[in-house]
């Protein structure tokens, strides 16, 4: 569905992308990880041309995205939902209006738009009594869920997530991750998720990509990447994974402990820790999916 | 920018520009108009509408009440149809505005007005404010008549009249004012006056001769007609007379003051204008009172100095030697004091005495003449008797000679007698005596007698009376008073040009200004004088026309400034957010893209163009004109404003990048992003207001 070939981008001579290549198949959930500043946001923004790449190709359903006309680009963007790290809600519009905005601007009549918005909001668990609030009157988690609903409302075939939980209070992270996980497993849309949530990635990702210095350096099933990395960065992730989720002593720490309590990841972690194999990973996935 | 426009935002922008320009023009024009109305209202309240009145008659404030009716009567009688309005009272003068009816608007009538209004009580002159007109000020006497004729022949001039040293050209039509003004200016600039002044103490001996010399010298260079001596024509009558009178007074007073003649011990120890003290030398004169006077030195020549007594009484110092001390008390010489005034009194006294003696003398002389006449008669008689005796002696002698031989005694007697006759009456003497014009002498004596008689009949008492009167009526001024007066006069005269102590030459255009000045100085051989060239007439834009044109200018300037302010406001409130969005768009896309980099100056140019368009639109629309600003200046200024706001746009109207990006990611086109996201979040302005109509989410 989406193919990105050899994408290059530099900011004032400083390279951000240096030949990034990836693909997302319909319904597939791809998680993109990488150290800060490695070019993840740049890459994901290039996909719907919020940022213009310098070179490379982007194909969407066989169409060259970079060659699209302005109007075609708009249509394309409606098919590609984008969830921002900082939610990027329109401050002056209500929750409902925020979700309706894209639909109405696309020419949908208001009633249909409102209906779709209702559904999207319902899906992310935003209660109708919040619909007329302004974003400022919502909690961070609620805001990001509105952000997700907004991306979702147009029923996109591809969703791009740029660290959707990174700006959230740790307590609120899980409510968003839950929504994401539900979408990733049930929605037909292909997903490209940039996140630092290792456990989430392990559970949700069909494929895990690790990026370093503007290119993809690891690609594979999450378990495979975390156990047998081929790059230096991959190995760092492996160590991180092991220290957090395999070492019992380390795992008693605050945030992780809290997460485990809340989500029941503990079980899969323990399971992983015992088995370290494809089965463990699959079991984890199944576990989480059934839990949601 | 292009993408934004292509996305349909050009409609929003076009509406904005049109509405801004229209509204801006209206507001700027309106503000200016209000200001103009206010100023013009104030002005016309003071001096009437343009061309409404022709002349202001000034009257002393205290007479204003009486004049109110007087002026109406006068106008009704002499300027039938004229309209009078009392204006405000300024500086002790009441002002009456008089509108002269069209048929009375002639040169003769206008020139007559001053004489006409002189009849008003408390009349204090008039000021012409007739419009439309062009005024030529300070027209030199020598060219006044010529210029009047020339002005009259300018197209558009109805007539020209004299107002003191000014010429006022009354025009047919206010539209012609500018062209007539230019023509009048050109005419007046033809005439220039070359002038040399010889102020007090630098006088010329014979200014007329000097003027002629200079005139001729210049005529040799520039031709017969290029230069004309107009010194006399230029002198200002009344003032000149006054200065002359003062000059004479000074001369008289100086002669009348007590004068001192001083012999200096060393030459140069005093100079002109020094004040020295003269004291009686002890031992000479009245030693008991060592009187002293202050003397102002008026002339110094080697060791001789002269001056007049400025303070103190000189009586005690007259006819004696005095010591002279300078201001520091040092003795600088000796001198004597004379006083013409006292000497005159003395002379008169002597005359009176002579008169008394004369009357006595005339009587005595009459007597003497009488006795002389008597003597003459006696002499005549004696002369006749002498002739008789002579004859008798001669006869005796002849008889004796005839009888000569007879008696020797007879012979002797005869000899004796003939000798006697010879001695007594020699032939010649008798003839001389005979030749004395006795009757002539008698006539002379008689004439003299009659004169003496007439003289004795003169009423000597009356003559004496007259002389006494003269003596008593001599100004009784003390030296101090004279000195004070002299100083006062001198202070007044200092720097004053005494008539005749200036030379004025009328120059034609062909005469070179600098050269003529140099020539004049060299001909006069004086470098201590100032020589200058001034126009023989100055055309000033008529004060009221100027006032009204200034008001117009003020209005246009206010409009211009308002236009500037409004443009700035529009840029700040409406366009800054647009500029800010354009910049954001660039940043979001990644500033490094070459193509976009090339577009960046495009955005800036857009901002500058926007500033220019708005400013020129509002500026022109409101009829603004700022002096010194040409149309392209305004364009540049607008461009500058646009650039400034563009440069500051991010700070003036920051656009929320996250909202922007969200909109783009949702598939909104730039126009939609502007309408739904950016503009509604912006500060209130015309754009926000206009945007309401297009905005979907409220
Ligand atoms: N608009 C921009 N202008 C200039 N440099 C930029 C811009 N956006 C990103 N960069 C630079 O490009 C590089 C890649 O940035 P990017 O945001 O894609 O990294 P990231 O992997 O998303 O990092 P993080 O995990 O911190 O979000 C970084 O060095 C960053 O500083
Ligand atoms: Mg990022």
């Amino acid at each position: 569905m989406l193919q990105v070939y050899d994408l290059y981008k530099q900011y004032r001579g400083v390279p951000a992308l240096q030949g990034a290549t990836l693909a997302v198949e319909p319904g597939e959930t791809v998680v993109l990880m990488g150290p800060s500043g490695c070019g993840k946001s740049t890459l994901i923004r290039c996909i719907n041309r919020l940022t213009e790449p310098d070179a490379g190709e982007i194909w969407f359903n066989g169409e060259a995205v970079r060659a699209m006309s302005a109007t075609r680009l708009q249509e394309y963007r409606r098919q590609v939902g984008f969830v921002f790290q900082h939610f990027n809600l329109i401050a002056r519009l209500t929750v409902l209006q925020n979700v309706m905005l894209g639909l109405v601007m696309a020419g949908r009549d208001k009633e249909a738009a409102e209906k779709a918005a209702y559904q999207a909001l319902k899906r992310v668990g935003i209660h109708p009594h919040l619909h007329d609030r302004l974003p400022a009157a919502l909690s961070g988690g609620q805001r990001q869920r509105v952000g997700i609903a907004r991306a979702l409302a147009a029923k996109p075939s591809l969703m791009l997530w740029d660290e959707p939980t990174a700006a959230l209070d740790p307590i609120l992270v899980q409510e968003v991750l839950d929504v994401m996980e539900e979408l990733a497993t049930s929605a037909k849309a292909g997903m490209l998720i940039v996140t630092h949530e290792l456990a989430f990635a392990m559970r949700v990702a069909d494929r895990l990509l690790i990026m370093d210095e503007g290119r993809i350096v690891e690609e594979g099933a999450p378990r495979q990447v975390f156990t047998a990395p081929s790059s230096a960065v991959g190995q760092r992730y492996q160590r991180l994974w092991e220290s957090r989720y395999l070492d019992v002593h380390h795992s008693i720490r605050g945030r992780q402990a809290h997460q485990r309590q809340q989500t029941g990841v503990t079980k899969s972690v323990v399971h992983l820790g015992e088995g370290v194999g494809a089965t463990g990973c699959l079991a984890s996935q199944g576990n989480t999916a059934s839990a949601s | 920018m292009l993408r934004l426009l292509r996305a349909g935002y050009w409609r929003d922008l076009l509406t904005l520009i049109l509405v801004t320009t229209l509204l801006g023009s209206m507001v700027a024009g309106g503000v200016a108009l209000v200001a103009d109305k206010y100023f013009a209202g104030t002005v016309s309240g003071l001096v009437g509408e343009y061309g409404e009145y022709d002349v202001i008659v000034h009257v002393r404030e205290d007479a204003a009440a009486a004049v109110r009716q007087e002026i109406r009567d006068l106008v009704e009688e002499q300027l039938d149809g004229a309209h009078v309005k009392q204006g405000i009272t300024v500086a002790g003068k009441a002002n009456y505005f008089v509108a002269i009816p069209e048929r009375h608007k002639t040169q003769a009538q206008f020139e007559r007005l001053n004489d006409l209004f002189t009849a008003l009580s408390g009349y204090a002159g008039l000021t012409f404010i007739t419009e439309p007109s062009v005024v030529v000020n300070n027209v030199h006497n020598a060219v006044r008549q010529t210029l009047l004729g020339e002005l009259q022949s300018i197209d558009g001039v109805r007539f020209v009249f004299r107002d003191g040293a000014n010429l006022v050209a009354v025009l047919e039509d206010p539209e012609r004012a500018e062209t007539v003004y230019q023509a009048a200016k050109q005419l007046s600039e033809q005439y220039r006056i070359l002038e040399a002044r010889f102020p007090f103490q630098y006088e010329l001996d014979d200014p007329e001769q000097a003027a002629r010399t200079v005139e001729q010298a210049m005529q040799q260079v520039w031709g017969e007609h290029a230069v004309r001596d107009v010194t006399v024509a230029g002198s200002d009558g009344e003032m000149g007379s006054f200065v002359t009178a003062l000059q004479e007074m000074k001369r008289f007073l100086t002669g009348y003051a007590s004068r001192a003649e001083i012999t200096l011990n060393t030459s140069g120890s005093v100079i002109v204008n020094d004040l020295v003290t003269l004291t009686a030398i002890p031992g000479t004169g009245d030693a008991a009172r060592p009187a002293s006077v202050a003397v102002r030195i008026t002339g110094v020549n080697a060791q001789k100095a002269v001056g007049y007594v400025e303070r103190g009484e000189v009586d005690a110092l007259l006819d004696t030697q005095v010591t002279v001390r300078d201001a520091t008390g040092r003795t600088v010489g000796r001198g004597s004091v004379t006083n013409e005034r006292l000497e005159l009194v003395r002379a008169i006294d002597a005359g009176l005495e002579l008169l008394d003696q004369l009357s006595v003398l005339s009587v005595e002389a009459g007597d003497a003449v009488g006795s002389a006449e008597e003597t003459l008669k006696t002499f005549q008689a004696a002369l006749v008797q002498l002739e008789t005796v002579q004859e008798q002696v001669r006869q005796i002698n002849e008889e004796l000679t005839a009888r000569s031989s007879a008696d020797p005694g007879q012979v002797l007697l005869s000899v004796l007698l003939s000798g006697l006759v010879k001695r007594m009456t020699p032939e010649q003497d008798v003839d001389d005596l005979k030749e004395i014009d006795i009757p002539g002498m008698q006539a002379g004596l008689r004439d003299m007698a009659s004169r003496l008689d007439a003289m004795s009949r003169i009423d000597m008492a009356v003559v004496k009376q007259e002389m006494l009167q003269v003596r008593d009526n001599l100004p009784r001024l003390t030296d101090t008073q004279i000195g004070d007066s002299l100083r006062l006069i001198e202070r007044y005269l200092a720097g004053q040009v005494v008539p005749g102590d200036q030379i004025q030459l009328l120059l034609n255009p062909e005469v070179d200004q600098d050269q003529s000045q140099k020539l004049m100085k060299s001909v006069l051989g004086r470098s201590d004088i100032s020589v200058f060239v001034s126009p023989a007439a100055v055309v000033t834009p008529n004060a009221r026309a100027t006032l009204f044109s200034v008001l117009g200018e003020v209005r246009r300037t206010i409009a211009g400034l308002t236009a500037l302010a409004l443009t700035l406001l529009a840029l700040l409130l409406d366009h800054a957010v647009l500029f800010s969005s354009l910049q954001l768009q660039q940043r979001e896309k990644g500033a490094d893209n070459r193509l976009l980099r090339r577009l960046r100056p495009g955005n800036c140019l857009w901002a500058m163009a926007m500033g220019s368009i708005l400013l020129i639109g509002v500026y022109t629309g409101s009829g603004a004109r700022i002096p010194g600003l040409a149309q392209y200046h305004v364009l540049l200024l607008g461009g500058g404003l646009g650039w400034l706001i563009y440069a500051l746009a991010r700070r003036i109207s920051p656009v929320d990048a996250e909202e922007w990006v969200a909109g783009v990611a949702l598939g909104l086109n730039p126009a939609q992003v502007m309408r739904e996201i950016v503009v509604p979040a912006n500060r209130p302005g015309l754009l926000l207001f206009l945007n309401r109509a297009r905005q979907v989410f409220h």
Side-chain angles (χ1 to χ4, degrees):
Chain A
M1 179 176 62
L2 175 76
Q3 287 89 31
V4 176
Y5 293 117
D6 214 13
L7 222 50
Y8 282 84
K9 173 72 184 175
Q10 46 177 259
Y11 294 106
R12 293 199 183 89
V14 180
L17 294 180
Q18 305 188 73
T21 299
L22 63 81
V24 178
E25 295 310 319
E28 188 187 21
T29 300
V30 178
V31 169
L32 180 63
M33 285 185 159
S36 186
C38 72
K40 305 183 294 293
S41 296
T42 305
L43 175 59
I44 206 169
R45 286 166 62 102
C46 279
I47 290 171
N48 73 342
R49 280 177 65 189
L50 290 179
T51 298
E52 292 291 350
D54 296 339
E57 289 172 37
I58 303 166
W59 295 88
F60 183 74
N61 291 336
E63 189 181 0
V65 172
R66 292 192 67 201
M68 283 175 179
S69 70
T71 14
R72 178 70 197 109
L73 182 62
Q74 282 167 241
E75 284 166 20
Y76 161 68
R77 279 173 177 156
R78 279 179 221 125
Q79 290 174 273
V80 179
F82 201 107
V83 181
F84 299 89
Q85 178 176 354
H86 298 283
F87 332 133
N88 295 25
L89 297 179
I90 313 301
R92 76 165 188 99
L93 298 180
T94 64
V95 165
L96 191 64
Q97 286 175 328
N98 262 287
V99 181
M100 285 167 68
L101 181 64
L103 303 173
V104 175
M105 289 298 111
R108 203 87 76 84
D109 70 78
K110 267 196 170 177
E111 260 170 59
E114 200 172 321
K115 218 169 164 185
Y118 255 89
Q119 278 174 4
L121 283 165
K122 191 179 169 197
R123 188 135 187 226
V124 299
I126 294 294
H127 198 269
H129 81 264
L130 296 176
H131 286 188
D132 291 330
R133 287 212 188 156
L134 290 179
L138 300 177
S139 74
Q142 288 170 332
R143 279 185 225 176
Q144 189 58 299
R145 281 188 279 150
V146 173
I148 295 168
R150 186 175 61 179
L152 207 57
K155 301 208 163 59
S157 50
L158 174 66
M159 280 185 85
L160 304 173
W161 308 70
D162 191 3
E163 300 190 40
T165 58
L168 289 176
D169 188 306
I171 299 167
L172 301 175
V173 168
Q174 198 53 47
E175 70 178 74
V176 174
L177 285 180
D178 287 346
V179 171
M180 288 169 70
E181 197 167 337
E182 191 275 326
L183 288 173
T185 46
S186 64
K188 288 181 264 332
M191 294 203 184
L192 179 60
I193 305 173
V194 174
T195 183
H196 293 297
E197 301 292 336
L198 292 177
F200 173 83
M202 188 60 102
R203 263 185 289 124
V204 178
D206 296 325
R207 215 145 34 90
L208 181 65
L209 307 177
I210 291 183
M211 205 177 163
D212 188 29
E213 292 183 340
R215 50 179 93 79
I216 309 295
V217 292
E218 298 278 348
E219 182 178 1
R223 182 186 45 82
Q224 179 200 336
V225 170
F226 284 148
T227 51
S230 57
S231 65
V233 183
Q235 281 159 10
R236 285 214 328 258
Y237 274 90
Q238 180 189 27
R239 279 196 295 279
L240 186 67
W241 169 256
E242 285 168 354
S243 68
R244 276 198 192 165
Y245 301 107
L246 300 182
D247 185 332
V248 182
H249 302 289
H250 283 282
S251 68
I252 316 238
R253 287 236 186 106
R255 183 175 166 225
Q256 284 79 15
H258 177 76
Q259 276 185 349
R260 264 177 263 132
Q261 267 175 7
Q262 292 236 320
T263 62
V265 170
T266 326
K267 212 161 60 184
S268 61
V269 166
V270 170
H271 181 70
L272 260 172
E274 284 161 355
V276 192
T279 38
C281 184
L282 286 171
S284 154
Q285 271 184 354
N287 184 338
T288 325
S290 56
S292 312
Chain B
M1 189 66 234
L2 283 176
R3 292 187 63 193
L4 182 61
L5 293 180
R6 239 185 270 136
Y9 208 63
W10 65 269
R11 263 181 274 124
D12 303 54
L13 276 178
L14 192 65
T15 318
L16 177 68
I17 291 167
L18 288 179
V19 173
T20 304
T21 308
L22 206 73
L23 240 117
S25 300
M26 275 161 60
V27 171
V31 166
L33 212 67
V34 167
D36 188 37
K37 274 274 170 295
Y38 172 75
F39 286 125
T42 314
V43 171
S44 69
L46 289 176
V47 297
E49 289 287 335
Y50 178 85
E52 188 179 359
Y53 295 100
D54 297 296
V55 62
I56 308 174
V57 180
H58 311 293
V59 178
R60 279 205 325 273
E61 195 177 1
D62 51 299
V67 167
R68 204 166 300 148
Q69 195 50 47
E70 269 180 48
I71 194 167
R72 294 217 152 83
D73 295 345
L74 187 72
V75 158
E76 195 175 319
E77 191 182 309
Q78 300 282 340
L79 293 165
D80 159 46
H83 169 65
V84 181
K85 179 189 128 184
Q86 184 167 5
I88 56 164
T89 300
V90 183
K93 300 255 174 67
N95 298 297
Y96 288 90
F97 291 84
V98 181
I100 311 242
E102 283 303 311
R103 74 189 122 87
H104 284 306
K105 284 188 179 171
T106 60
Q107 180 185 355
Q109 279 289 19
F110 273 80
E111 285 179 359
R112 184 175 83 99
L113 286 179
N114 194 40
D115 295 337
L116 187 67
F117 288 118
T118 313
L120 296 173
S121 21
Y123 176 66
L126 44 80
T127 304
F128 285 100
I129 55 166
T130 191
E131 292 295 345
S133 67
V134 168
V135 182
V136 187
N137 282 313
N138 297 320
V139 184
H140 194 280
N141 257 339
V143 293
R144 207 168 289 164
Q145 201 53 41
T146 323
L147 197 58
L148 189 139
E150 288 174 339
L151 286 173
Q152 211 128 34
S153 57
I154 296 176
D155 207 25
V157 173
R158 190 165 154 194
F159 64 89
V160 181
F161 69 92
R162 269 179 296 250
D163 171 23
N166 300 344
L167 292 175
V168 183
V170 178
L171 312 185
E172 280 154 5
D173 180 356
E175 300 290 300
R176 312 291 279 272
E178 188 54 33
T179 50
V180 173
Y181 168 71
Q182 293 302 343
K185 214 165 139 181
Q186 240 174 21
L187 278 177
S188 325
E189 274 162 7
Q190 290 179 46
Y191 304 108
R192 282 162 304 150
I193 300 287
L194 173 65
E195 183 171 334
R197 291 196 164 207
F198 310 93
F200 194 57
Q201 289 180 342
Y202 294 97
E203 298 97 336
L204 282 179
D205 292 336
D206 185 356
E208 278 165 43
Q209 180 54 46
R212 264 195 305 281
T213 316
V214 176
E215 183 187 23
Q216 281 161 7
M218 290 193 166
Q219 283 173 343
Q220 271 174 8
V221 180
W222 287 288
E224 194 76 14
H225 300 288
V227 182
R228 182 152 63 94
D229 174 21
V230 291
T231 307
V232 181
S235 66
D236 178 354
E238 282 179 15
M239 196 58 216
S241 304
F242 181 59
V243 172
T244 312
L246 277 183
Q247 192 78 351
E248 282 304 299
M249 189 108 99
K250 184 192 159 207
R251 203 174 54 79
F252 170 72
L253 283 174
T254 317
Y256 203 63
S258 300
R259 299 184 62 75
E261 283 182 17
I262 297 164
T263 309
L264 298 170
N265 294 341
T266 49
S267 59
S269 49
V270 296
I271 57 165
V272 171
N273 247 347
D274 272 359
L275 201 63
V276 295
T277 313
L278 271 59
T279 323
I281 299 170
T284 63
D286 192 355
R289 278 192 300 147
S292 75
V293 292
V295 169
R296 176 77 61 192
I297 302 296
T298 56
V300 182
N301 186 4
Q303 273 180 278
K304 294 280 176 208
V306 291
Y308 64 86
V309 175
E310 197 174 273
R311 204 164 300 116
E313 291 307 319
V314 292
D315 302 11
L317 299 179
L318 290 172
D319 309 324
T320 77
Q321 280 288 302
V322 292
T323 317
V324 181
R325 290 195 175 83
D326 67 7
T328 62
R330 198 161 46 94
T331 304
V332 292
R334 292 183 159 226
S336 61
V337 180
T338 54
N339 185 321
E340 303 273 349
R341 171 179 37 133
L342 290 180
E343 267 158 28
L344 182 61
V345 172
R346 277 189 212 161
I348 289 173
D349 285 346
L352 284 170
E353 225 167 276
L354 200 69
L355 209 61
D356 283 340
Q357 287 171 5
L358 203 64
S359 59
V360 177
L361 195 73
S362 71
V363 175
E364 279 172 6
D367 292 349
V369 168
S371 52
E373 219 173 340
E374 284 300 307
T375 312
L376 207 59
K377 272 182 197 153
T378 315
F379 177 69
Q380 203 174 17
L383 202 61
V384 172
Q385 278 172 355
L386 187 63
E387 274 179 3
T388 315
V389 170
Q390 205 175 8
E391 190 56 38
Q392 282 170 351
V393 171
R394 198 178 51 83
Q395 277 171 8
I396 293 168
N397 197 22
E398 273 174 18
E399 277 171 28
L400 281 177
T401 312
R403 290 182 252 158
S404 59
S405 53
D407 185 352
Q410 276 183 321
V411 172
L412 180 67
L413 187 64
S414 157
V415 169
L416 280 172
L417 276 173
S418 67
L420 180 72
V421 168
K422 267 194 178 149
R423 277 182 61 191
M424 241 177 75
T425 57
E427 205 63 19
Q428 220 184 330
D429 286 354
V430 177
D431 286 348
D432 282 353
L433 281 174
K434 276 185 194 157
E435 271 170 25
I436 289 174
D437 182 14
I438 301 292
M441 278 176 77
Q442 279 175 326
L445 277 171
R446 249 172 264 131
D447 185 41
M448 197 171 170
S450 75
R451 279 200 207 163
L452 281 169
D453 188 39
M455 196 167 128
S456 65
R457 263 181 289 144
I458 290 172
D459 194 345
M460 287 299 176
V462 173
V463 174
K464 199 174 160 185
Q465 187 66 34
E466 286 297 321
M467 286 185 74
L468 278 170
Q469 190 123 2
V470 169
R471 179 179 178 273
D472 292 344
N473 277 340
L474 281 175
R476 253 162 259 149
L477 289 167
T478 64
D479 282 316
T480 307
Q481 286 166 334
I482 292 170
D484 287 346
S485 309
L486 278 173
R487 254 179 301 136
L488 207 66
I489 291 173
E490 252 162 41
R491 207 180 310 150
Y492 181 80
L493 286 178
Q496 277 285 350
V497 173
V498 179
D501 287 348
Q502 62 180 6
I503 294 177
Q504 291 187 330
L505 297 169
L506 180 63
L507 305 182
N508 276 11
E510 63 262 34
V511 180
D512 182 84
Q513 202 159 306
D514 290 340
Q515 280 182 28
S516 63
Q517 287 180 355
K518 281 194 199 110
L519 185 62
M520 187 171 207
K521 276 195 181 178
S522 77
V523 169
L524 290 173
R526 300 268 297 255
S527 52
D528 55 346
I529 49 156
S530 55
V531 175
F532 48 91
V533 174
S534 54
V538 183
V539 186
T540 45
N542 172 305
R544 276 168 55 81
T546 312
L547 184 62
F548 278 93
S549 82
V550 163
L551 280 179
E553 207 158 273
V554 166
R555 179 177 59 70
R556 287 188 294 273
T557 306
I558 288 177
L561 293 176
T562 314
L564 210 61
L566 289 177
T567 304
L568 193 64
L569 201 69
L571 286 172
L572 274 174
L573 295 184
D574 300 336
H575 295 266
V577 69
L578 186 74
F579 303 159
S580 184
S581 305
L582 293 173
Q583 292 170 7
L584 177 77
Q585 206 176 347
Q586 278 176 348
R587 282 200 308 279
E588 284 303 321
K589 280 189 173 175
D592 217 57
N593 188 302
R594 288 240 169 102
L595 183 75
L596 290 168
R597 196 195 274 169
R598 243 182 285 140
L599 278 176
R600 174 176 266 179
N603 285 342
C604 187
L605 278 179
W606 167 270
M608 290 170 75
M610 199 47 68
S612 294
I613 289 169
L614 286 178
L615 186 59
I616 205 81
V618 178
Y619 194 82
T620 320
S622 63
R625 208 178 65 210
I626 297 176
L629 275 192
Q631 209 76 342
Y632 77 94
H633 285 141
V634 177
L635 272 174
L636 286 179
L637 195 64
L641 280 182
W643 177 84
L644 184 76
I645 300 300
Y646 182 79
L648 298 174
R650 273 177 80 179
R651 250 171 283 171
I652 295 165
S653 289
V655 173
D656 190 319
E658 291 179 352
E659 292 192 359
W660 170 281
V661 170
V664 173
L666 282 172
L668 273 60
N669 66 32
Q672 290 172 324
V673 173
M674 286 304 293
R675 288 184 201 132
E676 300 298 330
I677 298 172
V678 176
V679 175
N682 188 40
R683 58 168 62 86
L686 207 52
L687 182 61
L688 184 70
F689 178 78
L690 293 173
N691 191 62
R692 288 255 164 85
R694 302 186 189 274
Q695 187 180 328
V696 176
F697 291 97
H698 289 276

